[in-house]
Amino acid sequence: MNSDPSDKNNVPLLISFILVNPAVPANVGAAARAMKTMGFSDLRLVNPCNHLCPEARMLAHASNEILEKAGVFPSLHEAAADLDFIIGATARRRTKRGLYVRSNLLAQVIAEKGNTIKHTGIVFGSEESGLSNDDASVCHLLTSVSMAGKYPSLNLAQAVMVYAYELSALKGRKLQAKKAGFDTDGLQALKTKTETLLDEIGIAVDNSNRIHLIERLGLLGEKDVHLLHAIVSQINKKLK
């Protein structure tokens, strides 16, 4: 059977899983297994424990290649440098962040962004303390799993399994690589452009309205991202 010629102009939506400061090798191994079970393979580790030790390999079961190919980074900034949509998984509410997308809605939020993103990363914090505020600030959006009670909470590997399952709905989704504005009119470019504008008009980085505005950019669909690109560009021209 002949393949669809349009596929030549399409690229797959990429999704990476990032574990920050994982301390228990068994959890890293189990996370790799959860990823492979749901069809994902790009694992990134920030300051990890020994993720190649026998304990991790045992829990990875038939997913050792994910452990062996995992990228290791000294900071989340470096681990996420090539990503244009970064999502932080957290159970802890933060005073400066008001938006938390439920895990079962996350695939829809990502899908609605269309061609404004091409590489998404979902970030998990350490077993003991979760994501730090600094690491959460790197994320465009925060997400949480709805649970019957506050305790017991999900452990790291269980959380990875939940999100791998939810995001597996996006497997096979294609983006139009040659679509005009794919890079210049994307979500990350809008965030940068908006932050530059806010700096220009004197709204401080720690201003609550600014924090909430930047946070809400993570919820925008493709049409709204392109619309705001045009509006912010016009404002910038007027200011100059």
Side-chain angles (χ1 to χ4, degrees), residues 43-186:
L43 175 63
R44 304 181 181 193
L45 305 172
V46 177
N47 295 322
C49 54
N50 184 357
H51 65 288
L52 296 175
C53 72
E55 183 184 9
R57 291 181 180 277
M58 181 177 68
L59 268 292
H61 195 50
S63 311
N64 278 288
E65 74 279 7
I66 293 179
L67 293 180
E68 292 164 359
K69 294 179 181 179
V72 178
F73 302 86
S75 70
L76 178 56
H77 283 279
E78 290 167 275
D82 62 332
L83 307 180
D84 46 22
F85 190 39
I86 307 167
I87 304 162
T90 179
R92 180 158 57 94
R93 296 285 162 166
R94 297 160 198 276
T95 56
K96 292 187 177 182
R97 301 292 291 266
L99 290 175
Y100 294 81
V101 175
R102 294 201 308 272
S103 57
N104 63 316
L105 300 177
L106 196 56
Q108 178 183 343
V109 170
I110 295 172
E112 289 175 350
K113 288 179 174 30
N115 268 55
T116 66
I117 61 172
K118 52 187 176 181
H119 196 163
T120 295
I122 180 159
V123 184
F124 301 84
S126 68
E127 295 92 337
E128 184 176 342
S129 57
L131 280 182
S132 68
N133 287 329
D134 285 343
D135 286 337
S137 70
V138 174
C139 302
H140 296 92
L141 201 62
L142 298 180
T143 178
S144 61
V145 177
S146 297
M147 294 180 286
K150 187 174 181 180
Y151 296 105
S153 60
L154 296 175
N155 76 12
L156 175 58
Q158 290 172 330
V160 171
M161 183 70 246
V162 169
Y163 283 98
Y165 170 77
E166 296 291 358
L167 297 182
S168 66
L170 298 172
K171 292 295 294 180
R173 184 176 178 82
K174 300 286 187 176
L175 304 174
Q176 298 176 37
K178 295 186 177 181
K179 183 175 180 180
F182 183 74
D183 292 314
T184 57
D185 291 341

Side-chain angles (χ1 to χ4, degrees), residues 11-32:
V11 294
L13 172 66
L14 302 175
I15 299 178
S16 299
F17 286 71
I18 306 174
L19 310 185
V20 180
N21 300 321
V24 181
N27 280 335
V28 181

